[in-house]
Amino acid sequence: MKNKVIYLIYTLLISGAFLSIPESKAQRVEDIFKAAGTPSNPKVPVSWNRYYTYDGISSICDELVSAYPDLISKTSVGKSYEDRDIWVLEITDSKTKSPEDKPGFYIDGNIHSNEIQGSEISLYTAWYLVESFNENAFINSLLKEKVFYIVPTINPDARDNYMKAPNTANTPRSGMIPFDDDRDGLEDEDGLDDINGDGHVTYMRRKNPNGRYKIDPDNPKWLIRADPDEAGQYEFLGSEGFDNDGDGRVNEDRVGGYYDPNRDWGWDWQPDYIQRGALKYPFSVPENRAVARFVMEHPNIAGAQSYHNSGGMILRGPGSSSDEISFHDTDKSVYDAIGKLGSKIIPGYEYMVLYTDLYPAFGGELSWFHGGRGIFTFTNELFTSRYFFNKEYKNYNERMKDAFEFDKYLLFEDAYVEWTPFDHPIYGEIEVGGFKRNYSRADPGFLLESDAHRNMAFTIYHAYHTPKLVVEEVEEKDLGKGLKEITVTIANKRMIPTHSGNDIQNRINPPDYISITGLEVLAGMVVIDEDLKITKEQQYNPHQIEVENIPGMGVVKVRWIVSGDKDFSISVESQKGGNLTWSKKS
């Protein structure tokens, strides 16, 4: 009898009886009316109004790969400090030419572990590309021409710490490499604590007539500074915590409190005494080393995007005045065209230069991608207080007032913990309360998908303008005595050149090669000026002409003197522009 029951259960499982879920009428294909610009019936339904842990991100990646094996694959670029895989999604139409023969575009998010929404926006981009491939002609064409490399989280260890351990909106910022911040021989032993056990790490304040803070008369939930000639009501004690190591200080040796993984990259790097947060040498952080190795192994990457929070900014380098030399005028014009369009399609975001418009930063990922690899790269600071009520703010207090109003009227006070009394072992009678970690930096849920889509659209515009090379014209001229002159025009139909100015100056990547096969080549040259008949001959390997750069929205011309009248082929090899072949057949 027992064996029969087991067999029946097994049969039902195989038949799917236990697995079948009644189809929701609201989700039947025939009951759905497509919204413009959105996949109508995705194979992988994902809610983009929430945030996902590392395991959640991994699961979504696996579902996308399973649903679209011809478009997307998942591999690991390496291991994090705590031995998690750093996933990269490769997305392209695999039925066209191989990915390494296409211009590549790289995206990552979450290098700062508390800046979480970069992961969702990176992942949204991957989801949107594959789900739209069969119903959107533009996306279909884009994936035939380009390949995307998307790393949803570059800092998986600390992402999970941020979500699962006691933290504020600002902690942790780095990864999980332990440090002895207070130099007492112990590492990360005195971090934040959820002292009242309510599931949130907020802030501590204490009543004190000699304190320098007072209740905001316009908002009793908030403290503002008392005027210089005015007695205060409170002192601000910082984030929730105890003195865990008994040294008389609170929260002074936190997890992820010392180093900054975005000061660790090997371009324009400076040591810690100059650039706070840098470690001993460039690429000390294992996650950064893994990403850098991946980028080095994919020289076809021509454009890149990293996501941070917050402030509503589209940033380009340089990170410091000393690196201004790596940004040539031709490069700046490309950045300006893409960045200014970004400010239009992401309202509230401002296109800025990092060191002049924000602050100087040495050893940033942005700098290494441009300066070290010749890749046109932006960093977006996601979410902006302009989203509150579509206005600019004159000062911090005005902004905070509207943050409370936004929470009250749009989030229904879900982002705030009321101040409550607590008997602290050091501070005595205090009050605990304030905003939760998921507010002020991270997008509220209902704004997340909108922010994701607009930022995704910006990166797609950038990716679209990575080089697109075509053999535009092939001219043959009979010179007599069995000789022929063949002139080939190669056009770049997009804004981004095959080599940035800094790339050309420092020879970061090989030149482009334009070759002819099938005929005996007697001479080969670059045409400098067709009208003035100025050429520059290449005496070695004349069949394979080296071209320094194919400019954005421009052309290069090469010419050969050949013998014979056979069929021939023209090939173009460009690391960042892709590879293509043109053939003449009889």
Side-chain angles (χ1 to χ4, degrees):
M1 179 66 180
K2 181 179 179 181
N3 289 338
K4 289 183 178 180
V5 171
I6 292 173
Y7 178 77
L8 177 60
I9 292 172
Y10 175 77
T11 304
L12 289 170
L13 283 170
I14 293 298
S15 68
F18 283 3
L19 301 178
S20 63
I21 300 173
E23 184 183 23
S24 167
K25 290 183 178 181
Q27 293 180 351
R28 295 188 309 177
V29 174
E30 60 268 30
D31 294 333
I32 293 171
F33 181 72
K34 177 179 168 59
T38 300
S40 58
N41 189 33
K43 291 183 180 180
V44 183
V46 181
S47 295
W48 297 110
N49 60 353
R50 64 195 69 182
Y51 295 97
Y52 296 92
T53 65
Y54 171 76
D55 287 341
I57 288 172
S58 300
S59 177
I60 294 171
C61 291
D62 289 339
E63 290 183 52
L64 291 173
V65 171
S66 177
Y68 295 97
D70 291 336
L71 294 176
I72 184 169
S73 62
K74 185 190 81 170
T75 55
S76 174
V77 304
K79 294 286 189 176
S80 67
Y81 175 78
E82 292 183 341
D83 205 38
R84 289 179 176 85
D85 281 300
I86 303 168
W87 301 123
V88 59
L89 299 172
E90 180 182 277
I91 303 170
T92 192
D93 181 2
S94 61
K95 294 180 180 179
T96 56
K97 57 187 176 182
S98 60
E100 59 269 20
D101 290 332
K102 300 178 182 181
F105 193 87
Y106 172 90
I107 303 171
D108 74 32
N110 199 203
I111 188 172
H112 290 136
S113 47
N114 65 313
E115 301 183 0
I116 55 173
Q117 66 263 57
S119 295
E120 276 66 30
I121 291 179
S122 299
L123 199 54
Y124 176 87
T125 304
W127 174 86
Y128 190 90
L129 287 171
V130 297
E131 295 287 1
S132 300
F133 179 78
N134 290 321
E135 60 181 70
N136 186 294
F138 176 84
I139 299 298
N140 185 285
S141 175
L142 186 72
L143 292 185
K144 283 177 164 53
E145 297 176 2
K146 317 288 185 183
V147 56
F148 288 80
Y149 304 106
I150 299 179
V151 180
T153 175
I154 197 174
N155 195 348
D157 299 345
R159 178 183 182 83
D160 267 17
N161 179 275
Y162 169 84
M163 293 182 171
K164 298 176 181 180
N167 280 297
T168 71
N170 302 309
T171 63
R173 181 172 171 83
S174 63
M176 299 304 290
I177 301 174
F179 278 91
D180 179 12
D181 295 356
D182 56 354
R183 301 185 181 183
D184 64 353
L186 303 173
E187 295 173 337
D188 298 345
E189 81 286 352
D190 194 2
L192 301 169
D193 303 284
D194 176 12
I195 65 175
N196 59 358
D198 67 352
H200 305 289
V201 174
T202 52
Y203 299 95
M204 304 184 294
R205 71 186 189 186
R206 179 170 60 183
K207 289 182 179 179
N208 183 346
N210 297 312
R212 298 311 305 143
Y213 290 88
K214 65 178 183 179
I215 298 290
D216 184 348
D218 296 324
N219 181 11
K221 295 181 176 182
W222 187 240
L223 294 181
I224 60 173
R225 299 246 352 149
D227 293 334
D229 61 349
E230 180 183 22
Q233 301 168 315
Y234 282 89
E235 58 182 320
F236 186 70
L237 301 174
S239 302
E240 288 184 56
F242 298 121
D243 177 14
N244 294 304
D245 55 357
D247 65 355
R249 291 181 289 174
V250 175
N251 299 347
E252 85 286 349
D253 198 353
R254 302 195 309 253
V255 171
Y258 175 72
Y259 69 96
D260 186 332
N262 203 36
R263 305 293 183 265
D264 178 62
W265 298 76
W267 184 269
D268 200 29
W269 182 88
Q270 293 291 339
D272 185 73
Y273 67 87
I274 294 175
Q275 174 58 72
R276 179 73 172 88
L279 293 182
K280 297 178 181 179
Y281 49 82
F283 297 118
S284 300
V285 177
E287 295 87 354
N288 293 352
R289 282 200 305 275
V291 168
R293 187 182 308 114
F294 176 84
V295 174
M296 295 285 286
E297 291 170 353
H298 292 80
N300 61 322
I301 296 173
Q305 174 72 50
S306 63
Y307 287 119
H308 293 233
N309 78 28
S310 59
M313 305 171 210
I314 300 169
L315 297 170
R316 72 156 173 89
S320 71
S321 59
S322 60
D323 193 32
E324 185 71 58
I325 192 172
S326 73
F327 281 77
H328 295 235
D329 288 344
T330 52
D331 300 341
K332 291 177 184 177
S333 65
V334 173
Y335 277 109
D336 288 348
I338 298 173
K340 290 175 182 177
L341 188 279
S343 291
K344 182 177 182 179
I345 65 176
I346 319 176
Y349 279 51
E350 185 178 356
Y351 170 53
M352 301 165 65
V353 176
L354 177 56
Y355 90 95
T356 57
D357 299 326
L358 190 58
Y359 51 67
F362 297 93
E365 181 184 16
L366 184 69
S367 298
W368 182 76
F369 267 76
H370 174 90
R373 300 307 306 149
I375 298 168
F376 287 81
T377 308
F378 290 93
T379 289
N380 286 15
E381 296 284 355
L382 301 165
F383 186 64
T384 169
S385 56
R386 297 183 187 97
Y387 284 174
F388 290 158
F389 300 112
N390 192 28
K391 60 186 277 192
E392 298 279 355
Y393 294 98
K394 299 175 183 177
N395 54 55
Y396 176 75
N397 284 342
E398 184 184 344
R399 175 184 175 276
M400 288 307 300
K401 179 181 177 181
D402 269 7
F404 281 96
E405 294 280 288
F406 184 86
D407 178 44
K408 178 179 179 180
Y409 292 115
L410 286 103
L411 307 181
F412 312 105
E413 299 185 330
D414 184 46
Y416 185 78
V417 176
E418 293 288 346
W419 293 98
T420 56
F422 183 80
D423 187 8
H424 195 281
I426 295 177
Y427 299 126
E429 289 299 322
I430 66 170
E431 297 174 5
V432 179
F435 284 132
K436 301 174 185 177
R437 86 186 84 166
N438 62 357
Y439 187 54
S440 77
R441 297 183 69 109
D443 290 76
F446 80 97
L447 288 174
L448 180 58
E449 184 167 0
S450 173
D451 218 7
H453 189 88
R454 287 182 180 275
N455 277 274
M456 177 271 296
F458 169 67
T459 61
I460 283 182
Y461 179 76
H462 184 181
Y464 172 80
H465 275 290
T466 57
K468 180 181 179 180
L469 306 182
V470 298
V471 178
E472 190 166 74
E473 189 175 21
V474 178
E475 298 179 277
E476 299 182 50
K477 181 179 179 181
D478 188 358
L479 301 178
K481 299 184 178 180
L483 301 180
K484 187 170 13 178
E485 177 185 277
I486 298 177
T487 302
V488 176
T489 302
I490 306 298
N492 181 356
K493 298 297 187 178
R494 301 291 184 261
M495 284 196 293
I496 294 177
T498 56
H499 296 75
S500 70
N502 185 59
D503 183 353
I504 295 169
Q505 179 176 322
N506 293 301
R507 299 186 178 181
I508 298 169
N509 296 290
D512 302 321
Y513 297 101
I514 305 173
S515 306
I516 187 169
T517 56
L519 297 170
E520 181 183 358
V521 178
L522 305 178
M525 63 208 73
V526 176
V527 179
I528 307 296
D529 190 306
E530 181 72 52
D531 297 318
L532 297 176
K533 303 188 183 305
I534 300 174
T535 61
K536 182 180 179 181
E537 185 179 1
Q538 179 181 299
Q539 295 186 354
Y540 60 93
N541 294 332
H543 68 285
Q544 185 182 66
I545 305 297
E546 294 184 6
V547 176
E548 183 179 71
N549 180 43
I550 304 176
M553 307 304 287
V555 301
V556 297
K557 287 178 180 284
V558 297
R559 180 172 293 156
W560 292 279
I561 307 301
V562 300
S563 175
D565 193 24
K566 303 177 183 177
D567 294 341
F568 62 92
S569 295
I570 305 296
S571 63
V572 181
E573 299 173 64
S574 172
Q575 282 195 341
K576 297 192 185 308
N579 301 328
L580 65 149
T581 301
W582 177 95
S583 297
K584 177 188 177 181
K585 302 293 185 182
S586 300

